[in-house]
Short mmCIF file of all heavy atoms in Angstrom, two decimals:
data_model
loop_
_atom_site.label_atom_id
_atom_site.label_comp_id
_atom_site.label_asym_id
_atom_site.label_seq_id
_atom_site.Cartn_x
_atom_site.Cartn_y
_atom_site.Cartn_z
N VAL M 1 29.23 26.14 -2.93
CA VAL M 1 28.54 25.14 -2.12
C VAL M 1 28.04 25.81 -0.85
O VAL M 1 28.82 26.37 -0.09
CB VAL M 1 29.48 23.97 -1.76
CG1 VAL M 1 28.76 22.96 -0.87
CG2 VAL M 1 30.00 23.29 -3.02
N VAL M 2 26.73 25.76 -0.64
CA VAL M 2 26.11 26.38 0.54
C VAL M 2 25.51 25.27 1.39
O VAL M 2 24.50 24.67 1.03
CB VAL M 2 25.02 27.39 0.14
CG1 VAL M 2 24.53 28.15 1.37
CG2 VAL M 2 25.53 28.35 -0.93
N GLU M 3 26.15 24.96 2.51
CA GLU M 3 25.76 23.81 3.34
C GLU M 3 26.19 24.10 4.77
O GLU M 3 27.36 24.39 5.03
CB GLU M 3 26.43 22.55 2.81
CG GLU M 3 26.39 21.34 3.70
CD GLU M 3 24.99 20.83 3.92
OE1 GLU M 3 24.39 20.29 2.98
OE2 GLU M 3 24.50 20.98 5.07
N ASP M 4 25.24 24.03 5.73
CA ASP M 4 25.58 24.35 7.12
C ASP M 4 26.31 23.21 7.82
O ASP M 4 26.90 23.42 8.88
CB ASP M 4 24.34 24.76 7.92
CG ASP M 4 23.31 23.65 8.02
OD1 ASP M 4 23.22 22.85 7.07
OD2 ASP M 4 22.58 23.61 9.03
N ASN M 5 26.27 22.00 7.25
CA ASN M 5 27.06 20.90 7.78
C ASN M 5 28.47 21.04 7.22
O ASN M 5 28.72 20.78 6.05
CB ASN M 5 26.44 19.56 7.36
CG ASN M 5 27.15 18.37 7.96
OD1 ASN M 5 28.38 18.29 7.94
ND2 ASN M 5 26.39 17.44 8.50
N VAL M 6 29.40 21.46 8.08
CA VAL M 6 30.75 21.79 7.63
C VAL M 6 31.44 20.59 7.00
O VAL M 6 32.10 20.71 5.96
CB VAL M 6 31.58 22.34 8.81
CG1 VAL M 6 33.03 22.61 8.39
CG2 VAL M 6 30.95 23.63 9.35
N ASP M 7 31.31 19.41 7.61
CA ASP M 7 31.96 18.22 7.07
C ASP M 7 31.40 17.84 5.71
O ASP M 7 32.14 17.48 4.79
CB ASP M 7 31.82 17.05 8.05
CG ASP M 7 32.61 17.27 9.32
OD1 ASP M 7 33.60 18.02 9.28
OD2 ASP M 7 32.25 16.69 10.36
N ALA M 8 30.07 17.90 5.57
CA ALA M 8 29.45 17.56 4.30
C ALA M 8 29.88 18.53 3.21
O ALA M 8 30.14 18.13 2.07
CB ALA M 8 27.93 17.57 4.44
N ALA M 9 29.96 19.81 3.56
CA ALA M 9 30.39 20.82 2.59
C ALA M 9 31.82 20.57 2.15
O ALA M 9 32.15 20.65 0.96
CB ALA M 9 30.25 22.21 3.18
N ALA M 10 32.70 20.25 3.11
CA ALA M 10 34.10 20.00 2.79
C ALA M 10 34.26 18.80 1.88
O ALA M 10 35.04 18.81 0.92
CB ALA M 10 34.90 19.81 4.07
N THR M 11 33.49 17.74 2.15
CA THR M 11 33.57 16.54 1.32
C THR M 11 33.13 16.83 -0.11
O THR M 11 33.79 16.43 -1.07
CB THR M 11 32.70 15.42 1.91
OG1 THR M 11 33.16 15.12 3.23
CG2 THR M 11 32.76 14.17 1.06
N LEU M 12 32.00 17.52 -0.24
CA LEU M 12 31.50 17.85 -1.58
C LEU M 12 32.47 18.77 -2.31
O LEU M 12 32.70 18.62 -3.51
CB LEU M 12 30.12 18.50 -1.47
CG LEU M 12 29.41 18.83 -2.78
CD1 LEU M 12 29.32 17.60 -3.68
CD2 LEU M 12 28.02 19.39 -2.50
N GLY M 13 33.07 19.71 -1.58
CA GLY M 13 34.05 20.59 -2.19
C GLY M 13 35.25 19.84 -2.72
O GLY M 13 35.76 20.14 -3.81
N GLU M 14 35.70 18.84 -1.98
CA GLU M 14 36.84 18.03 -2.43
C GLU M 14 36.50 17.25 -3.70
O GLU M 14 37.33 17.13 -4.61
CB GLU M 14 37.26 17.07 -1.32
CG GLU M 14 37.90 17.77 -0.13
CD GLU M 14 38.19 16.81 1.02
OE1 GLU M 14 37.89 15.61 0.86
OE2 GLU M 14 38.72 17.26 2.04
N VAL M 15 35.27 16.72 -3.76
CA VAL M 15 34.84 16.00 -4.96
C VAL M 15 34.84 16.93 -6.17
O VAL M 15 35.34 16.59 -7.24
CB VAL M 15 33.44 15.40 -4.75
CG1 VAL M 15 32.90 14.82 -6.06
CG2 VAL M 15 33.47 14.32 -3.68
N LEU M 16 34.28 18.11 -6.00
CA LEU M 16 34.21 19.06 -7.11
C LEU M 16 35.59 19.46 -7.60
O LEU M 16 35.83 19.61 -8.80
CB LEU M 16 33.42 20.30 -6.67
CG LEU M 16 31.94 20.07 -6.38
CD1 LEU M 16 31.33 21.31 -5.73
CD2 LEU M 16 31.18 19.71 -7.64
N GLU M 17 36.52 19.63 -6.67
CA GLU M 17 37.88 20.00 -7.07
C GLU M 17 38.59 18.84 -7.75
O GLU M 17 39.40 19.04 -8.67
CB GLU M 17 38.66 20.48 -5.84
CG GLU M 17 38.16 21.84 -5.34
CD GLU M 17 38.92 22.35 -4.14
OE1 GLU M 17 39.75 21.58 -3.60
OE2 GLU M 17 38.69 23.51 -3.74
N LEU M 18 38.30 17.60 -7.32
CA LEU M 18 38.84 16.44 -8.02
C LEU M 18 38.36 16.40 -9.46
O LEU M 18 39.07 15.97 -10.37
CB LEU M 18 38.44 15.15 -7.30
CG LEU M 18 39.26 14.74 -6.08
CD1 LEU M 18 38.60 13.55 -5.39
CD2 LEU M 18 40.69 14.39 -6.47
N TRP M 19 37.15 16.87 -9.68
CA TRP M 19 36.59 16.92 -11.03
C TRP M 19 37.15 18.08 -11.84
O TRP M 19 36.85 18.21 -13.02
CB TRP M 19 35.08 17.03 -10.95
CG TRP M 19 34.41 15.79 -10.45
CD1 TRP M 19 34.96 14.57 -10.24
CD2 TRP M 19 33.03 15.67 -10.08
NE1 TRP M 19 34.03 13.69 -9.76
CE2 TRP M 19 32.82 14.34 -9.66
CE3 TRP M 19 31.95 16.55 -10.06
CZ2 TRP M 19 31.60 13.87 -9.23
CZ3 TRP M 19 30.72 16.10 -9.64
CH2 TRP M 19 30.53 14.76 -9.22
N GLY M 20 37.92 18.95 -11.21
CA GLY M 20 38.52 20.07 -11.93
C GLY M 20 37.78 21.38 -11.80
O GLY M 20 38.14 22.36 -12.46
N TYR M 21 36.75 21.45 -10.96
CA TYR M 21 35.99 22.68 -10.80
C TYR M 21 36.58 23.55 -9.69
O TYR M 21 37.30 23.06 -8.81
CB TYR M 21 34.53 22.36 -10.47
CG TYR M 21 33.81 21.60 -11.56
CD1 TYR M 21 33.28 20.34 -11.33
CD2 TYR M 21 33.68 22.15 -12.84
CE1 TYR M 21 32.63 19.64 -12.34
CE2 TYR M 21 33.04 21.46 -13.84
CZ TYR M 21 32.51 20.20 -13.59
OH TYR M 21 31.88 19.51 -14.58
N ASP M 22 36.26 24.82 -9.73
CA ASP M 22 36.69 25.77 -8.72
C ASP M 22 35.57 25.88 -7.69
O ASP M 22 34.53 26.49 -7.96
CB ASP M 22 36.97 27.13 -9.37
CG ASP M 22 37.39 28.19 -8.37
OD1 ASP M 22 37.64 27.84 -7.20
OD2 ASP M 22 37.45 29.38 -8.74
N ALA M 23 35.77 25.28 -6.51
CA ALA M 23 34.71 25.21 -5.50
C ALA M 23 34.99 26.16 -4.34
O ALA M 23 36.11 26.24 -3.85
CB ALA M 23 34.56 23.79 -4.98
N ARG M 24 33.95 26.85 -3.90
CA ARG M 24 34.03 27.71 -2.72
C ARG M 24 32.92 27.29 -1.77
O ARG M 24 31.80 26.98 -2.21
CB ARG M 24 33.88 29.17 -3.10
CG ARG M 24 33.92 30.11 -1.89
CD ARG M 24 33.97 31.57 -2.27
NE ARG M 24 34.04 32.42 -1.10
CZ ARG M 24 34.12 33.75 -1.14
NH1 ARG M 24 34.15 34.38 -2.31
NH2 ARG M 24 34.17 34.45 -0.03
N LEU M 25 33.19 27.28 -0.46
CA LEU M 25 32.25 26.79 0.54
C LEU M 25 31.81 27.90 1.48
O LEU M 25 32.64 28.68 1.96
CB LEU M 25 32.88 25.66 1.36
CG LEU M 25 33.67 24.58 0.62
CD1 LEU M 25 34.26 23.59 1.61
CD2 LEU M 25 32.80 23.88 -0.40
N VAL M 26 30.51 27.96 1.75
CA VAL M 26 29.97 28.83 2.80
C VAL M 26 28.92 28.03 3.57
O VAL M 26 28.41 27.03 3.07
CB VAL M 26 29.36 30.13 2.24
CG1 VAL M 26 30.42 30.99 1.57
CG2 VAL M 26 28.23 29.82 1.26
N HIS M 27 28.58 28.51 4.78
CA HIS M 27 27.74 27.69 5.65
C HIS M 27 26.48 28.38 6.15
O HIS M 27 25.86 27.93 7.12
CB HIS M 27 28.58 27.23 6.85
CG HIS M 27 29.88 26.59 6.45
ND1 HIS M 27 29.93 25.41 5.71
CD2 HIS M 27 31.17 26.96 6.65
CE1 HIS M 27 31.19 25.10 5.48
NE2 HIS M 27 31.96 26.02 6.03
N SER M 28 26.07 29.47 5.51
CA SER M 28 24.84 30.15 5.90
C SER M 28 24.27 30.89 4.71
O SER M 28 24.97 31.16 3.72
CB SER M 28 25.11 31.15 7.04
OG SER M 28 25.87 32.26 6.57
N GLY M 29 22.98 31.22 4.80
CA GLY M 29 22.35 31.96 3.72
C GLY M 29 22.95 33.33 3.52
O GLY M 29 23.12 33.79 2.38
N GLU M 30 23.25 34.02 4.62
CA GLU M 30 23.83 35.36 4.53
C GLU M 30 25.18 35.32 3.81
O GLU M 30 25.46 36.14 2.93
CB GLU M 30 24.00 35.97 5.93
CG GLU M 30 22.68 36.23 6.66
CD GLU M 30 22.12 34.99 7.35
OE1 GLU M 30 22.69 33.89 7.17
OE2 GLU M 30 21.11 35.14 8.06
N LYS M 31 26.02 34.37 4.18
CA LYS M 31 27.33 34.23 3.54
C LYS M 31 27.18 33.84 2.07
O LYS M 31 27.99 34.24 1.22
CB LYS M 31 28.17 33.19 4.27
CG LYS M 31 28.61 33.61 5.67
CD LYS M 31 29.55 34.81 5.62
CE LYS M 31 30.05 35.17 7.00
NZ LYS M 31 30.94 36.37 6.97
N ALA M 32 26.14 33.08 1.76
CA ALA M 32 25.90 32.69 0.38
C ALA M 32 25.61 33.91 -0.49
O ALA M 32 26.14 34.03 -1.60
CB ALA M 32 24.74 31.70 0.30
N LEU M 33 24.78 34.80 0.01
CA LEU M 33 24.46 36.01 -0.73
C LEU M 33 25.69 36.89 -0.93
O LEU M 33 25.91 37.43 -2.01
CB LEU M 33 23.35 36.79 -0.02
CG LEU M 33 21.99 36.09 0.10
CD1 LEU M 33 21.03 36.93 0.92
CD2 LEU M 33 21.42 35.82 -1.30
N GLU M 34 26.49 37.01 0.12
CA GLU M 34 27.72 37.81 0.02
C GLU M 34 28.68 37.21 -1.01
O GLU M 34 29.21 37.93 -1.86
CB GLU M 34 28.41 37.89 1.39
CG GLU M 34 27.64 38.66 2.44
CD GLU M 34 28.34 38.63 3.79
OE1 GLU M 34 29.49 38.13 3.85
OE2 GLU M 34 27.73 39.07 4.78
N ALA M 35 28.89 35.88 -0.92
CA ALA M 35 29.84 35.22 -1.82
C ALA M 35 29.35 35.26 -3.25
O ALA M 35 30.14 35.49 -4.19
CB ALA M 35 30.07 33.78 -1.37
N ALA M 36 28.06 35.04 -3.47
CA ALA M 36 27.53 35.03 -4.83
C ALA M 36 27.62 36.41 -5.46
O ALA M 36 27.96 36.55 -6.64
CB ALA M 36 26.07 34.56 -4.81
N THR M 37 27.34 37.44 -4.69
CA THR M 37 27.42 38.81 -5.22
C THR M 37 28.86 39.18 -5.55
O THR M 37 29.13 39.86 -6.55
CB THR M 37 26.85 39.80 -4.19
OG1 THR M 37 25.50 39.44 -3.89
CG2 THR M 37 26.88 41.22 -4.75
N ALA M 38 29.79 38.71 -4.73
CA ALA M 38 31.19 39.07 -4.92
C ALA M 38 31.87 38.28 -6.03
O ALA M 38 32.73 38.82 -6.73
CB ALA M 38 31.95 38.88 -3.61
N THR M 39 31.50 37.03 -6.21
CA THR M 39 32.23 36.16 -7.14
C THR M 39 31.45 35.74 -8.37
O THR M 39 32.03 35.18 -9.31
CB THR M 39 32.70 34.89 -6.42
OG1 THR M 39 31.56 34.13 -5.99
CG2 THR M 39 33.55 35.24 -5.19
N CYS M 40 30.13 35.95 -8.39
CA CYS M 40 29.28 35.55 -9.52
C CYS M 40 29.54 34.10 -9.93
O CYS M 40 30.03 33.83 -11.05
CB CYS M 40 29.51 36.47 -10.71
SG CYS M 40 28.98 38.17 -10.43
N PRO M 41 29.23 33.13 -9.11
CA PRO M 41 29.49 31.72 -9.44
C PRO M 41 28.64 31.26 -10.62
O PRO M 41 27.58 31.82 -10.90
CB PRO M 41 29.11 30.99 -8.16
CG PRO M 41 28.09 31.86 -7.52
CD PRO M 41 28.53 33.26 -7.81
N ASP M 42 29.13 30.24 -11.31
CA ASP M 42 28.38 29.66 -12.42
C ASP M 42 27.31 28.69 -11.91
O ASP M 42 26.26 28.53 -12.53
CB ASP M 42 29.33 28.92 -13.35
CG ASP M 42 30.42 29.83 -13.88
OD1 ASP M 42 30.09 30.88 -14.45
OD2 ASP M 42 31.61 29.50 -13.68
N VAL M 43 27.61 28.01 -10.80
CA VAL M 43 26.70 27.02 -10.21
C VAL M 43 26.64 27.26 -8.71
O VAL M 43 27.67 27.51 -8.08
CB VAL M 43 27.18 25.57 -10.48
CG1 VAL M 43 26.20 24.56 -9.90
CG2 VAL M 43 27.40 25.34 -11.97
N VAL M 44 25.44 27.16 -8.15
CA VAL M 44 25.27 27.21 -6.70
C VAL M 44 24.57 25.93 -6.25
O VAL M 44 23.46 25.63 -6.72
CB VAL M 44 24.45 28.44 -6.26
CG1 VAL M 44 24.23 28.40 -4.74
CG2 VAL M 44 25.15 29.73 -6.64
N LEU M 45 25.23 25.16 -5.40
CA LEU M 45 24.64 23.97 -4.78
C LEU M 45 24.14 24.39 -3.42
O LEU M 45 24.91 24.61 -2.49
CB LEU M 45 25.67 22.85 -4.67
CG LEU M 45 26.35 22.44 -5.99
CD1 LEU M 45 27.36 21.33 -5.73
CD2 LEU M 45 25.32 22.00 -7.00
N LEU M 46 22.83 24.50 -3.27
CA LEU M 46 22.24 25.19 -2.12
C LEU M 46 21.40 24.25 -1.27
O LEU M 46 20.40 23.68 -1.72
CB LEU M 46 21.37 26.34 -2.65
CG LEU M 46 20.64 27.22 -1.65
CD1 LEU M 46 21.58 27.80 -0.61
CD2 LEU M 46 19.91 28.35 -2.39
#
């Protein structure tokens, strides 16, 4: 989840985890590129 609104990102992350998914949160484009390269996510909500 890539969202600069920290509260919105946290809420969406909690929903995804309730659904059983493995959610990771970042709050900038630079961090998104770093996280995606390091973890190879299946889905990016950008």
Side-chain angles (χ1 to χ4, degrees):
V1 177
V2 187
E3 167 65 70
D4 62 329
N5 184 313
V6 176
D7 291 335
T11 300
L12 184 54
E14 290 175 0
V15 171
L16 294 170
E17 290 181 352
L18 279 172
W19 291 350
Y21 297 119
D22 178 10
R24 179 172 181 179
L25 317 178
V26 295
H27 309 297
S28 70
E30 295 82 354
K31 292 295 183 182
L33 296 176
E34 293 177 8
T37 303
T39 64
C40 294
D42 303 305
V43 182
V44 176
L45 304 179
L46 180 54

